Amino acid sequence: MTAHEKPEQELPDLVRYDDQTVRNFTLATLVWAGVGFLVGLVVALQLAIPALNFGLPWLTFGRLRPLHTNAVIFAFAGNAIFAGIYYSMQRLLKTRAVDGLSKFHFWGWQLIIVSAALTLPFGFTTGKEYAELEWPIDIAIAVVWIAFGANMISMVRRRREPHLYVAIWFYLATFATIALLHVVNSVEIPVSFLKSYPVYAGVQDALVQWWYGHNAVAFFLTTPFLGLMYYFVPKVAKEPIYSYRLSVVHFWSLILIYIWAGPHHLLNTALPEWAQTVGMAFSVMLWIPSWGGMINGLFTVRQAWHRVREEPILRFFAAALIAYGMATFEGPLLSIKSVSALGHYTDWIIGHVHGGALGWNGFLSFGMVYFLVPKLWGKEMYRKSWINTHFWLATIGIVLYVVSMWVAGITQGMMWMAIDHASGKLVYPDFVETVLRIVPLYYVRALGGTMYLAGFVVMAVNVAKTIASAKTVPADETVRAPAIFKVGREWFQDQKPHRILEGLPVALLTLAFLGVLAGSLIELVPILTGAAYHDEVTWNAVNGAAGAIPRTYRPLEVAGRDIYVREGCYLCHSQMIRQLPFDVLRYGPASTPEESMWDHPFQWGSKRTGPDLARVGGKYPDSWHYRHMRDPRDVSPQSIMPTYPWLYRQTLDFAELPTKLRALRRVGVPYSDADVANAEADARTQSGEIAAKLASDGAPAGTETREIVALIAYLQTLGKMTPAPTKVGGN
Amino acid sequence: MADERKVNPDEPVHEIDGIVELNHPAPFWWQAIFYASIVWAIGYAGYYLGGSGMSRKEALQQELAELAAKDVRPNASPEQELAELKAIYTDPNRLASGKAVFTKNCASCHAVDGGGGIGPNLTDKHWLHGDGSIGAILKVVREGVPEKGMPPWGPILKREEVMAAASFVRSLRGTTPAKPKAPQGDVVEPKADF
């Protein structure tokens, strides 16, 4: 039944694999890993030492953090996935990838990464985490992604093996789901060449974004890596895969459950509670399917346990699988509402992500590169012992990183939660006190990151030396293979149902896509059709909280909001007071969905390095913000917030405000024609008023044209867009 | 047709590109936890989606009501509060704790020595709110002037902390700060003081 029953020399076809594409992606993996890790270390240090923001816009935390996340996810992990997929898929199918598509895919992807690096630090961002790239780049991503998918589909249709191996199921599911996620989450209306507003707002944007964000982790950092695991682990261990049956069960359960889990990023928020409940229930069910992959991998490695000691690549793989298992246990744990109440917005989440990213994605990629480089360049690794050095540096680095972030997150979370029993008041009402407590741990984290980076440098040198020692690039690997496989009627006999599916790749792809689509629709549609706003009304009426349609932002406030997005304030500040007593005591009445219903994009945030800002409007006079934004330490002596001196130099573009209002109107904000026509004049009036007030409090004259005035105007609206909510919780 | 379940799990079931697949059954504990988690998830979601569970919003209302109940000020009459303030004012230790509260929460706007900055100078005889008496100070500290950027501290700090801070502010009167802010408000003499 299989090709291997015939002696090799009798096979009719000669297949030459495209190894150059694999080489290209492998080198790109290393280059971008270096960039991504380095930027990560910089942002880690900035949190400990705010002076490292240097008062320069393109070096400031809020702009570098998206660069870091995009570089490590889409550039480092992305290129690693592609390298591994092109290597394994050609061999598993005994067919060559389509040369034109492979080249287009490789260069297109690098171009996207370069354009990310050239836009993010300069403030061109959509303000949606892990989807920050602006609309022209979004289109490019979609096109290149489709080329990648077309290449895979072409390969499976020209395959010389009857069945698809489990790795390829994972690759195909990755392709289909990422396409769906990216397209749905990126629907946006352009304002100018590098500025757009998403069509979704507030709670709807939040749900779509975290449906996307969570599944980017699932289908970019999990499923393709599981595919790579299924190929490279048995190759290196030289042992059989433990259980085919387990791979069937955990593949389908994983993808069909994963797609539902997004709302666990929004627990206790203004997201309608049914969606939170569903998100939590599916997240808990996700634990065991995830562990299915881990045990299949670990039990495969276990058969060669004695070799883990002498084979450092295998050690990387074993550690990667353990990290995967830990992260996929921690994830469901953090999805429990009460655990989320403690962990959300803290560094615990950062620790959780890095356990997965550094351990699972990093180690699997490193192991794969160490396996591929000798094969692709025809030379053994320059120093095998250095692989060991790399392993230990990176392992200790991860431990320092993850443990310090656990301690920091749990410490700070408990301080935020602490309520004095006798008085019913917060024990630590001063936010900065909770920050200062964890700053020492930021140094520990930076040390861990430095070690991980050092390990990577060892690897990079090792690879560079190996390649340098290979005088010529070897010819593409060529094998004898059977003829291209055609499904015939007789083939169906004697096949079990899932084996049949493995012989019908397009059906498998379609089935996976439909499963994922169904889950997405059931979860997203009720909220996208506005149901979120309806059930709030009763509650608001009872509690006297906001509950009314908010006013729209005035043009100057729109400009200020765009600055807030551009500077990445949302990466340190949430705008979402959760329905938890300690959040209410600290920040005021819980946020309602209406309050952000004109917010394109939503800015609920996911991390509170600084305090929540949902009700900061009116808390301080304009002059406080004026001094604070120029140098936070001037009013809050030990703050770790960056300085924003350029906002005091850069002038506002009043003339583009009508265009912005028009774009916002197109996505549903009810601006009238008069609003649009008066936009510029209204903004000038408002900025004049604020500047006059600032001047009377001692600021220099002439601030009315500066960006800072717009930002202050925006900050003062926060929590003030609806009629004043009556205090819930205060006295 | 061979049933894969009866096949020896150590016999390869497939082979592709040199990778062999065995067919061990999934570990029992793995299956058990998987089924248990599904049963639990259905129960949990059913309980809350079916309306039996208390919603977070309802729970929040209860939690806040309990906290608010703890925070009732003892039904102190203005006279009793004044006596309490006086007791703090005349006790150097308790006044020092007032200074600590001030340094931590107020100095960013009023300067450490009360000389003023974003907020007014608290050492001079000029007052925007009230007459500068300790009772008037307590009122403005507790209730704030939110529209002018003075936060209400009653909801944030503990009752003793607010009273200690107010007493400390009263003690600043007539001191000489390093960088006094220009006076705001009218010159007034405290009336109902001690």
Side-chain angles (χ1 to χ4, degrees):
Chain A
M1 196 168 71
T2 65
H4 305 272
E5 286 162 11
K6 270 193 197 171
E8 198 171 307
Q9 53 280 20
E10 284 174 31
L11 296 172
D13 287 3
L14 199 59
V15 182
R16 193 163 61 88
Y17 299 134
D18 173 6
D19 285 340
Q20 190 51 42
T21 297
V22 184
R23 260 180 230 117
N24 289 348
F25 275 119
T26 307
L27 290 179
T29 304
L30 293 172
V31 170
W32 296 120
V35 175
F37 298 168
L38 190 66
V39 178
L41 183 57
V42 171
V43 291
L45 285 166
Q46 285 176 331
L47 289 180
I49 312 166
L52 292 178
N53 290 280
F54 295 110
L56 292 171
W58 43 275
L59 270 186
T60 195
F61 178 87
R63 296 196 189 176
L64 285 190
R65 200 193 97 144
L67 185 66
H68 163 63
T69 52
N70 279 277
V72 292
I73 300 173
F74 300 111
F76 162 56
N79 279 306
I81 294 167
F82 300 142
I85 289 183
Y86 280 107
Y87 184 85
S88 60
M89 205 159 164
Q90 299 186 90
R91 284 161 174 82
L92 286 168
L93 298 173
K94 300 265 175 298
T95 196
R96 186 181 168 94
V98 184
D99 284 358
L101 288 175
S102 308
K103 282 214 177 64
F104 179 77
H105 178 195
F106 176 75
W107 289 109
W109 198 254
Q110 309 316 311
L111 201 68
I112 288 165
I113 298 168
V114 170
S115 37
L118 291 178
T119 51
L120 294 174
F122 301 98
F124 300 104
T125 168
T126 60
K128 293 178 54 146
E129 278 182 84
Y130 318 121
E132 284 93 349
L133 299 175
E134 264 299 353
W135 65 273
I137 312 179
D138 278 343
I139 293 175
I141 294 174
V143 172
V144 173
W145 192 258
I146 286 169
F148 164 53
N151 210 348
M152 288 204 291
I153 291 172
S154 162
M155 276 192 264
V156 293
R157 302 198 56 178
R158 290 181 291 110
R159 70 190 191 277
R160 293 182 171 80
E161 291 278 0
H163 293 104
L164 300 189
Y165 179 57
V166 46
I168 297 172
W169 319 342
F170 278 107
Y171 301 158
L172 293 176
T174 300
F175 162 65
T177 314
I178 291 290
L180 176 72
L181 295 168
H182 174 68
V183 169
V184 172
N185 189 41
S186 304
V187 187
E188 52 216 358
I189 296 284
V191 180
S192 58
F193 177 51
L194 283 175
K195 171 81 194 155
S196 65
Y197 294 118
V199 292
Y200 318 104
V203 62
Q204 301 171 336
D205 198 28
L207 184 66
V208 172
Q209 161 64 28
W210 284 115
W211 164 80
Y212 163 87
H214 174 73
N215 288 302
V217 173
F219 290 88
F220 207 85
L221 299 178
T222 306
T223 54
F225 279 90
L226 282 168
L228 300 180
M229 186 281 284
Y230 271 112
Y231 185 81
F232 290 100
V233 166
K235 281 278 173 200
V236 174
K238 304 199 174 84
E239 292 289 345
I241 282 292
Y242 178 74
S243 171
Y244 162 73
R245 200 182 307 173
L246 181 56
S247 59
V248 174
V249 179
H250 101 90
F251 169 74
W252 288 105
S253 54
L254 191 78
I255 65 167
L256 297 180
I257 293 178
Y258 238 127
I259 198 75
W260 291 82
H264 70 213
H265 291 256
L266 298 167
L267 295 180
N268 303 305
T269 68
L271 178 73
E273 199 164 331
W274 68 263
Q276 302 182 30
T277 302
V278 170
M280 168 173 160
F282 274 90
S283 302
V284 171
M285 285 191 283
L286 195 52
W287 168 33
I288 285 299
S290 305
W291 273 27
M294 174 191 69
I295 54 183
N296 223 354
L298 275 184
F299 287 1
T300 300
V301 174
R302 193 176 62 179
Q303 303 169 104
W305 209 238
H306 56 284
R307 290 192 48 239
V308 172
R309 240 184 252 177
E310 65 240 36
E311 178 51 87
I313 301 180
L314 209 50
R315 195 176 300 165
F316 267 110
F317 286 161
L321 283 160
I322 291 169
Y324 176 61
M326 285 173 55
T328 52
F329 173 72
E330 194 182 20
L333 178 71
L334 279 164
S335 305
I336 295 170
K337 285 179 187 169
S338 50
V339 182
S340 168
L342 167 67
H344 192 46
Y345 298 132
T346 74
D347 286 304
W348 187 355
I349 309 299
I350 315 297
H352 167 60
V353 170
H354 283 82
L358 303 177
W360 165 239
N361 303 117
F363 275 21
L364 202 81
S365 307
F366 299 152
M368 186 183 85
V369 168
Y370 284 125
F371 172 82
L372 285 178
V373 166
K375 295 246 178 316
L376 294 171
W377 276 274
K379 282 275 166 191
E380 283 304 305
M381 287 306 296
Y382 174 71
R383 288 276 184 279
K384 208 154 183 188
S385 61
W386 289 8
I387 306 181
N388 246 330
T389 315
H390 177 193
F391 177 81
W392 287 112
L393 277 171
T395 303
I396 300 171
I398 294 178
V399 170
L400 288 176
Y401 192 116
V402 172
V403 172
S404 63
M405 289 299 96
W406 278 340
V407 176
I410 294 173
T411 305
Q412 197 179 28
M414 306 239 307
M415 289 174 87
W416 291 345
M417 285 176 107
I419 296 178
D420 178 59
H421 278 301
S423 65
K425 296 267 164 77
L426 295 173
V427 179
Y428 304 99
D430 180 14
F431 187 90
V432 180
E433 189 180 348
T434 73
V435 176
L436 295 180
R437 190 69 73 84
I438 62 171
V439 165
L441 293 160
Y442 285 167
Y443 286 99
V444 178
R445 183 242 310 257
L447 177 66
T450 308
M451 293 184 68
Y452 195 83
L453 180 62
F456 169 75
V457 171
V458 171
M459 170 186 201
V461 174
N462 205 353
V463 170
K465 291 269 190 191
T466 310
I467 295 177
S469 72
K471 301 265 156 13
T472 51
V473 173
D476 287 342
E477 190 186 337
T478 307
V479 294
R480 286 232 149 256
I484 287 179
F485 172 75
K486 292 266 176 290
V487 189
R489 190 172 287 263
E490 70 291 357
W491 180 81
F492 286 96
Q493 290 156 12
D494 256 19
Q495 301 277 351
K496 296 191 171 299
H498 203 269
R499 286 303 269 175
I500 294 180
L501 200 56
E502 290 162 32
L504 301 171
V506 177
L508 186 138
L509 178 70
T510 313
L511 213 62
F513 180 77
L514 290 179
V516 162
L517 184 69
S520 307
L521 290 178
I522 297 172
E523 207 167 68
L524 296 182
V525 167
I527 292 191
L528 290 185
T529 51
Y533 297 118
H534 301 152
D535 73 324
E536 294 304 307
V537 178
T538 356
W539 184 70
N540 291 322
V542 174
N543 294 289
I549 302 290
R551 71 167 176 86
T552 51
Y553 292 108
R554 287 175 67 181
L556 186 70
E557 296 157 2
V558 169
R561 190 165 198 282
D562 287 342
I563 294 169
Y564 186 94
V565 170
R566 181 187 79 194
E567 299 305 341
C569 309
Y570 64 95
L571 295 166
C572 280
H573 291 287
S574 58
Q575 288 186 21
M576 172 45 61
I577 305 169
R578 291 172 299 170
Q579 296 165 356
L580 295 168
F582 51 92
D583 256 32
V584 172
L585 287 186
R586 188 178 297 275
Y587 302 115
S591 297
T592 67
E594 309 79 69
E595 283 178 304
S596 48
M597 72 185 283
W598 306 136
D599 285 6
H600 299 263
F602 83 118
Q603 291 287 284
W604 292 7
S606 64
K607 177 71 177 61
R608 282 180 184 158
T609 301
D612 186 275
L613 298 181
R615 302 204 184 281
V616 87
K619 178 175 173 190
Y620 300 114
D622 293 352
S623 59
W624 188 94
H625 292 295
Y626 187 84
R627 286 176 54 184
H628 183 248
M629 297 301 303
R630 193 172 46 196
D631 181 6
R633 269 125 333 258
D634 193 13
V635 288
S636 184
Q638 286 167 297
S639 175
I640 57 168
M641 176 163 144
T643 60
Y644 290 91
W646 59 92
L647 300 181
Y648 298 74
R649 294 191 299 268
Q650 286 173 194
T651 52
L652 280 163
D653 187 353
F654 288 97
E656 74 174 344
L657 287 171
T659 323
K660 286 191 166 174
L661 259 61
R662 238 175 275 129
L664 284 169
R665 181 161 68 180
R666 211 163 307 150
V667 292
V669 185
Y671 286 118
S672 67
D673 288 340
D675 291 335
V676 175
N678 294 335
E680 200 179 330
D682 183 73
R684 287 192 190 276
T685 312
Q686 197 184 4
S687 72
E689 287 163 7
I690 296 173
K693 238 189 304 171
L694 288 175
S696 76
D697 282 338
T703 54
E704 64 274 7
T705 56
R706 302 302 149 118
E707 290 186 336
I708 182 64
V709 171
L711 182 61
I712 293 175
Y714 169 63
L715 289 173
Q716 296 291 26
T717 67
L718 293 175
K720 298 283 179 196
M721 302 290 281
T722 50
T726 47
K727 269 258 176 271
V728 181
N731 58 344
Chain B
M1 198 165 73
D3 181 2
E4 278 172 7
R5 275 177 185 281
K6 288 187 195 127
V7 166
N8 173 4
D10 287 321
E11 289 284 313
V13 283
H14 323 117
E15 198 221 314
I16 192 161
D17 192 37
I19 299 176
V20 173
E21 286 178 292
L22 305 181
N23 207 13
H24 289 270
F28 173 75
W29 59 267
W30 184 85
Q31 299 188 36
I33 304 178
F34 191 30
Y35 296 131
S37 73
I38 293 172
V39 170
W40 173 85
I42 293 171
Y44 172 83
Y47 183 68
Y48 281 98
L49 298 181
S52 316
M54 187 190 269
S55 77
R56 182 89 283 278
K57 284 173 195 152
E58 288 160 349
L60 175 68
Q61 292 316 296
Q62 276 188 14
E63 290 156 357
L64 290 175
E66 280 163 26
L67 291 176
K70 288 187 180 161
D71 193 39
V72 281
R73 253 172 248 117
N75 283 334
S77 65
E79 293 74 29
Q80 282 167 322
E81 280 210 322
L82 204 61
E84 233 179 290
L85 287 166
K86 190 173 173 184
I88 298 173
Y89 189 75
T90 49
D91 176 345
N93 283 335
R94 296 176 74 187
L95 203 59
S97 78
K99 180 174 179 158
V101 174
F102 189 88
T103 310
K104 193 162 139 192
N105 299 289
C106 324
S108 64
C109 290
H110 294 285
V112 197
D113 55 13
I118 289 160
N121 183 338
L122 300 175
T123 65
D124 57 17
K125 294 184 172 169
H126 297 258
W127 289 91
L128 292 161
H129 302 280
D131 57 4
S133 68
I134 195 158
I137 294 174
L138 179 65
K139 182 169 155 47
V140 68
V141 176
R142 207 175 247 163
E143 291 163 19
V145 195
E147 62 286 0
K148 292 286 166 96
M150 163 68 183
W153 294 95
I156 299 170
L157 299 177
K158 296 189 192 115
R159 179 167 180 272
E160 316 83 74
E161 290 174 330
V162 176
M163 297 188 85
S167 305
F168 174 72
V169 171
R170 176 67 184 76
S171 76
L172 291 172
R173 188 187 180 85
T175 58
T176 327
K179 280 191 268 168
K181 192 180 177 191
Q184 289 162 277
D186 305 324
V187 178
V188 281
E189 279 304 318
K191 281 191 276 296
D193 222 345
F194 34 82

